[in-house]
Amino acid sequence: MTAITFPPSSEAHKERATQEPTWVRYALIGLALAFLTLFLFIPLISVFYEALKKGVDVYLAAITDPDAVSAIQLTLIVAAIAVPLNLIFGVAAAWAIAKFEFRGKNLLITLIDLPFSVSPVVSGLIYVLIFGLQGWLGPWLAEHDIQIIFAVPGIVLATVFVTVPFIARELIPLMQAQGTEEEEAAVVLGASGWQTFYRVTLPNIKWGLLYGSILCNARAMGEFGAVSVVSGHIRGSTNTMPLHVEILYNEYNFAAAFAVASLLALLALVTLALKTLVESRNRQHQKQRGHQ
Amino acid sequence: MNTFKQHSILPGFNLALGFTLLYLSLIVLIPLSAAFIRTTELTWPEFWAAVTTPRVVASYRLTFGASFAAATVNAVFGLLVAWVLVRYHFPGKKLVDALVDLPFALPTAVAGIALTALYAGNGWIGQFLEPLGIKVAFTPLGIFVALTFIGLPFVVRTVQPVLEDIEPELEEAAATLGANRWQTFTRVIFPALFPALMTGFALAFARAIGEYGSVIFIVGNMPMISEITPLLIITKLEQYDYAGATALSVVMLVISFVLLLIINLLQWWSRRRSITS
């Protein structure tokens, strides 16, 4: 038995031929990290530094201030409405798009992505054009004493608008990749539509669903431009956390502004951590499905 | 008979599509069309005059110029970061990879005040630039810095998966045929990455044009010099100039739609490239 064996040196040579010299590698890593440090890491660290610069007492006082607390509450309420709404929408849209073939599908996908490409300022403005005093429904709403713009419903609407695509665009490719065989088998075996969804589809998409919801939540809590247009900036009543940060900052109350901002930065870090976790779970899940 | 939809035994199509269309119409399509319909209250010359005043034109120039510069820097450094994350190993790589998405997750207002504090004359970075005569905060340069921050993940995240998928055989073949590393990169790897790079550039550019939150803090907001178009819309709205604000919004919307179309074409090109290669 004569096996052709390559000497180890040829293996090493092949490695060298498709790799950069060591000094180039280190230079590229150094350059990339320098760029990220300047534009990402330093800004992130500075938020926490500025927040705590004047001491923990000032920090705690800033985030337990009644206006700050009401801003936090409003932010939570808005996210608690916007995320479930877009969750239902995302599942419905992904079910229609991924499990069925129909005409105009690509157009529908583009329309779902539309809010991503609209400037936040314009996203807020369009609701003012409809519900504001000068808007289409303005006079009627005023007559019936219903306030949408410069009130909580407007903030919710603008937030829902900017977060429409998040969950749908996570679910659509995921459900398309999974195909329809499993659901078809369930239906053939006599499962009802809802049973098929709960028992077959939902377990398959749960990580994607969670991932989309996390991203949707982060944007819902952090949205500034759109909310800023429709909120009346009324302290303690129509201020979300990002708007409260702006007010404090414009009042030169920097320590307090950064204290509230640090809560939002923490939220961003938690979001990134959960996202990384879900991504690795998702990969494992798909590997398992691949092995079956 | 039913040519709209192919037959399927799965239930729920009508409910799912019906709800999707209703929701999308109520939340997105009808409100967006409101901007277009409200502009028809202006005559064409009035509309044209509203969107071409010198102050507005100055804001376009600033918005597009700064967005283009930021997207270009992001294309160069995004490619570099993606390359380093895919090809090399170094301590803390996983953490760096996760943090690249920070600009997506961090609220824009937080980014805005953090960058302003850093680049102000007495800030961590500003204190080194001030003696050199470089002012960043409260100048158009600040807009560029903010837009670079918010556009950072786009190129990295579009290039990264394509780079991961490039088969090592391609590079080995190039090396066998006598190409040096630089030639392999410019002739083999870069052409394969180019559609993804352009997609990332276009996404970063489109995001930068509409950006508001991170920019308004770092810039002086002086008319003609450092006033971006989204801010001008807000200013007009606060002065109860609804017609002017709406006209400008329509310009921004049309630009967004054109960019969306270009991005879709680029993604289609990118997919076709990766299938045929």
Side-chain angles (χ1 to χ4, degrees):
Chain A
M1 198 175 94
T2 52
I4 304 165
T5 54
F6 292 97
S9 65
S10 95
E11 186 72 18
H13 183 74
K14 191 187 81 183
E15 278 284 302
R16 272 204 299 277
T18 54
Q19 238 174 20
E20 293 75 46
T22 314
W23 71 268
V24 174
R25 260 185 284 165
Y26 282 119
L28 291 179
I29 293 175
L31 200 57
L33 290 182
F35 174 73
L36 291 177
T37 305
L38 189 63
F39 278 98
L40 271 192
F41 306 145
I42 293 182
L44 179 64
I45 295 165
S46 79
V47 173
F48 294 101
Y49 172 80
E50 296 280 344
L52 292 165
K53 197 163 70 173
K54 295 214 169 126
V56 179
D57 295 343
V58 177
Y59 181 82
L60 289 178
I63 59 174
T64 52
D65 175 80
D67 288 343
V69 171
S70 95
I72 294 169
Q73 278 170 345
L74 180 60
T75 302
L76 292 175
I77 292 169
V78 169
I81 300 171
V83 177
L85 276 178
N86 284 326
L87 187 76
I88 298 168
F89 167 75
V91 171
W95 181 264
I97 288 169
K99 303 292 177 189
F100 300 92
E101 289 304 323
F102 57 93
R103 270 199 274 170
K105 195 194 255 192
N106 285 332
L107 178 67
L108 182 59
I109 296 176
T110 308
L111 288 180
I112 291 174
D113 269 349
L114 212 52
F116 272 159
S117 55
V118 175
S119 170
V121 170
V122 178
S123 311
L125 175 88
I126 54 178
Y127 286 103
V128 176
L129 292 180
I130 293 180
F131 298 110
L133 262 184
Q134 315 284 319
W136 285 340
L137 300 178
W140 185 86
L141 289 170
E143 248 171 56
H144 293 78
D145 218 17
I146 305 169
Q147 202 172 11
I148 290 184
I149 297 304
F150 306 138
V152 176
I155 296 174
V156 172
L157 276 173
T159 307
V160 170
F161 177 93
V162 294
T163 53
V164 158
F166 279 93
I167 297 170
R169 70 182 285 151
E170 284 306 320
L171 290 183
I172 292 167
L174 182 68
M175 284 167 73
Q176 275 176 332
Q178 285 168 352
T180 54
E181 286 95 350
E182 290 181 32
E183 281 85 2
E184 280 165 3
V187 170
V188 170
L189 292 170
S192 73
W194 288 115
Q195 279 175 324
T196 309
F197 179 73
Y198 275 117
R199 303 270 175 89
V200 179
T201 310
L202 200 57
N204 277 338
I205 61 168
K206 63 179 177 211
W207 291 112
L209 209 60
L210 185 61
Y211 184 53
S213 306
I214 294 165
L215 296 179
C216 183
N217 179 63
R219 180 70 194 266
M221 289 190 170
E223 178 53 31
F224 177 75
V227 169
S228 154
V229 177
V230 294
S231 150
H233 300 271
I234 304 161
R235 281 185 96 134
S237 119
T238 62
N239 255 350
T240 60
M241 285 166 80
L243 297 178
H244 193 57
V245 169
E246 185 198 17
I247 289 188
L248 291 171
Y249 190 86
N250 287 342
E251 288 170 349
Y252 301 101
N253 193 349
F254 296 134
F258 276 101
V260 179
S262 75
L263 294 180
L264 288 167
L266 267 183
L267 170 77
L269 289 178
V270 171
T271 302
L272 290 184
L274 281 173
K275 177 178 171 292
T276 311
L277 187 77
V278 170
E279 262 173 348
S280 73
R281 278 295 167 84
N282 209 357
R283 261 199 298 276
Q284 276 171 14
H285 188 74
Q286 261 161 14
K287 233 183 246 169
Q288 276 167 7
R289 281 174 57 86
H291 285 310
Q292 271 166 13
Chain B
M1 183 188 84
N2 189 349
T3 53
F4 167 65
K5 167 186 163 263
Q6 280 178 25
H7 181 72
S8 164
I9 60 163
L10 293 180
F13 176 74
N14 290 334
L15 177 66
L17 188 68
F19 178 75
T20 302
L21 292 177
L22 178 70
Y23 188 89
L24 214 50
S25 304
L26 287 179
I27 300 287
V28 179
L29 301 179
I30 295 174
L32 276 182
S33 64
F36 288 94
I37 296 169
R38 286 296 290 265
T39 5
T40 57
E41 289 167 14
L42 293 175
T43 64
W44 177 247
E46 278 172 344
F47 174 80
W48 189 248
V51 299
T52 54
T53 62
R55 188 174 169 189
V56 173
V57 172
S59 85
Y60 295 147
R61 204 175 292 143
L62 179 65
T63 307
F64 286 96
S67 301
F68 190 84
T72 307
V73 166
N74 274 323
V76 174
F77 282 92
L79 178 63
L80 175 69
V81 170
W83 179 270
V84 165
L85 287 177
V86 173
R87 293 293 172 105
Y88 304 146
H89 293 280
F90 55 93
K93 183 171 131 169
K94 275 202 167 149
L95 184 70
V96 171
D97 195 1
L99 279 176
V100 164
D101 281 331
L102 182 73
F104 283 159
L106 193 71
T108 52
V110 178
I113 64 168
L115 291 171
T116 310
L118 284 176
Y119 287 93
N122 56 357
W124 286 355
I125 299 174
Q127 61 180 331
F128 298 111
L129 298 175
E130 196 93 318
L132 304 173
I134 305 169
K135 281 200 170 141
V136 178
F138 316 119
T139 69
L141 201 56
I143 304 179
F144 161 77
V145 170
L147 295 180
T148 306
F149 175 84
I150 56 129
L152 200 148
F154 288 100
V155 174
V156 181
R157 292 305 184 222
T158 47
V159 170
Q160 216 174 1
V162 181
L163 195 55
E164 276 166 359
D165 282 349
I166 291 183
E167 286 162 11
E169 285 86 349
L170 278 176
E171 287 166 59
E172 285 165 14
T176 314
L177 293 170
N180 65 29
R181 204 58 197 134
W182 178 246
Q183 284 171 325
T184 309
F185 179 77
T186 51
R187 305 269 178 88
V188 178
I189 303 172
F190 188 75
L193 294 179
F194 189 67
L197 188 66
M198 287 309 295
T199 309
F201 174 86
L203 285 168
F205 182 67
R207 172 73 209 269
I209 284 177
E211 179 57 20
Y212 172 71
S214 61
V215 175
I216 54 154
F217 293 99
I218 202 165
V219 82
N221 300 334
M222 280 158 63
M224 306 296 295
I225 297 167
S226 57
E227 190 176 50
I228 54 167
T229 313
L231 179 76
L232 195 53
I233 294 177
I234 299 248
T235 310
K236 284 186 183 292
L237 209 54
E238 279 169 356
Q239 294 163 346
Y240 301 103
D241 180 7
Y242 284 84
T246 313
L248 265 186
S249 301
V250 165
V251 172
M252 296 284 289
L253 278 173
V254 169
I255 292 165
S256 308
F257 294 160
V258 171
L259 281 170
L260 190 67
L261 188 73
I262 293 172
I263 290 165
N264 277 339
L265 286 174
L266 281 169
Q267 274 168 342
W268 174 76
W269 180 35
S270 185
R271 262 199 304 277
R272 225 181 49 150
R273 254 305 163 87
S274 65
I275 291 166
T276 51
S277 70

